[in-house]
Amino acid sequence: MALYRDTGVVLRVQKLGEADRIITLLTRKHGKVRAVGKGVRRMSSRFGARLEPFGHVDVQLYTGRTLDVITQVQTVDAFGAGLVSDYPRYTAGCAVLEAADRLSAEEGEPVLRLYLLLVGALRALADGVRDPMLVMDAFLLRAMTQAGWAPALTECARCGRPGPHRAFNVAAGGSICETCRPSGSVLPAPETLRLLDALLHGDWPVAEAIEQRPRREGSGLVAAHLQWHLERSLRSLPLVDRRSGEPDDAAQASTPV
């Protein structure tokens, strides 16, 4: 029986039998790990409450034949306490967890950068200082960059001509110059692309100075870009609260050309 220890974030949980759960974690050293938490659904469980989504935990596990088994848990950060009572932050956090799960498809493959991005995003959401939609979009942009899917924002995605360029095409990879622009491209506001570039590079003063409408439009472009590469949408994204923006939908704010 091989024991090992790691720190990780609980991404999701699934029922197993009458009292157990399968816990999916994104860990610092071992990447994504699926492990059994025995008896965690019982009221008498010593660490069941620590193995809930958003929990940042120090865990000890032993290697099983099919799934590893959790034997000890210590809380590092209880991010959920700062999220569950705030719908906009909670829904943004759910989208962040789901994206991290999808972007770490291979179990046992270390993804340290994604783990650090995830912890940073959850900490920012739990602190409640920044707009949760901006935090979510910053995480998605940076996580896609780590996966090799970064959208072109300051140059043409096809020919590399320096921008900024007016058009944006998800299938083409991002910003598109007039020469390369395919049909079906959209024309986001210049502030929208400036916002996405600021979020990608962590320039929060620039990002937070931009008004709500470009934020909503940018969030729509980020979601569309992620969906294109994942080949399916995140189930959590439609639930994200965007009521702080204008009533029109981000997808309608971009004009097809």
Side-chain angles (χ1 to χ4, degrees):
M1 182 173 67
L3 286 170
Y4 66 96
R5 198 172 195 96
D6 208 341
T7 55
V9 175
V10 178
L11 301 179
R12 57 189 169 96
V13 299
Q14 300 165 273
K15 293 181 180 179
L16 179 65
E18 294 184 359
D20 305 338
R21 278 179 176 165
I22 298 175
I23 313 296
T24 302
L25 304 108
L26 185 65
T27 66
R28 187 182 188 95
K29 299 176 183 177
H30 298 85
K32 186 156 70 174
V33 171
R34 294 173 71 242
V36 176
K38 290 187 175 295
V40 296
R41 290 164 58 197
R42 294 195 181 103
M43 294 295 291
S44 59
S45 173
R46 291 175 297 152
F47 47 74
R50 303 171 192 169
L51 293 173
E52 295 288 346
F54 303 112
H56 186 207
V57 292
D58 183 307
V59 291
Q60 179 176 282
L61 310 96
Y62 72 80
T63 306
R65 290 185 178 180
T66 55
L67 294 172
D68 296 349
V69 178
I70 297 171
T71 59
Q72 292 182 17
V73 182
Q74 293 181 348
T75 299
V76 178
D77 295 290
F79 293 130
L83 298 177
V84 294
S85 61
D86 187 305
Y87 185 79
R89 298 186 187 282
Y90 174 74
T91 52
C94 289
V96 166
L97 291 186
E98 186 181 353
D101 193 6
R102 296 277 186 88
L103 292 169
S104 56
E106 294 295 326
E107 294 182 27
E109 293 292 329
V111 280
L112 176 60
R113 180 61 177 164
L114 181 60
Y115 164 80
L116 295 175
L117 286 173
L118 175 60
V119 172
L122 294 180
R123 180 169 286 117
L125 287 171
D127 287 346
V129 176
R130 303 194 186 282
D131 183 329
M133 192 167 68
L134 292 183
V135 173
M136 178 189 72
D137 288 336
F139 170 81
L140 295 179
L141 283 167
R142 297 176 198 180
M144 285 192 287
T145 299
Q146 295 303 308
W149 302 339
L153 298 173
T154 58
E155 71 284 333
C156 177
R158 286 189 169 174
C159 69
R161 180 181 300 174
H165 299 295
R166 187 72 177 88
F168 191 97
N169 188 284
V170 170
S175 294
I176 293 290
C177 69
E178 288 295 323
T179 304
C180 299
R181 188 177 76 190
S183 61
S185 300
V186 296
L187 298 178
E191 293 84 359
T192 299
L193 297 182
R194 189 158 63 93
L195 168 66
L196 297 186
D197 187 61
L199 292 176
L200 180 60
H201 295 96
D203 193 344
W204 287 101
V206 170
E208 292 175 335
I210 293 177
E211 296 180 353
Q212 292 293 342
R213 185 166 182 168
R215 293 186 188 187
R216 290 166 58 82
E217 186 176 43
S219 192
L221 293 178
V222 171
H225 193 81
L226 179 63
Q227 179 177 341
W228 173 266
H229 287 284
L230 289 177
E231 299 182 349
R232 53 180 175 170
S233 62
L234 296 183
R235 291 176 297 176
S236 306
L237 277 179
L239 303 177
V240 174
D241 190 332
R242 296 181 171 90
R243 288 175 298 176
S244 58
E246 297 181 14
D248 57 304
D249 188 80
Q252 297 173 343
S254 298
T255 306
V257 295

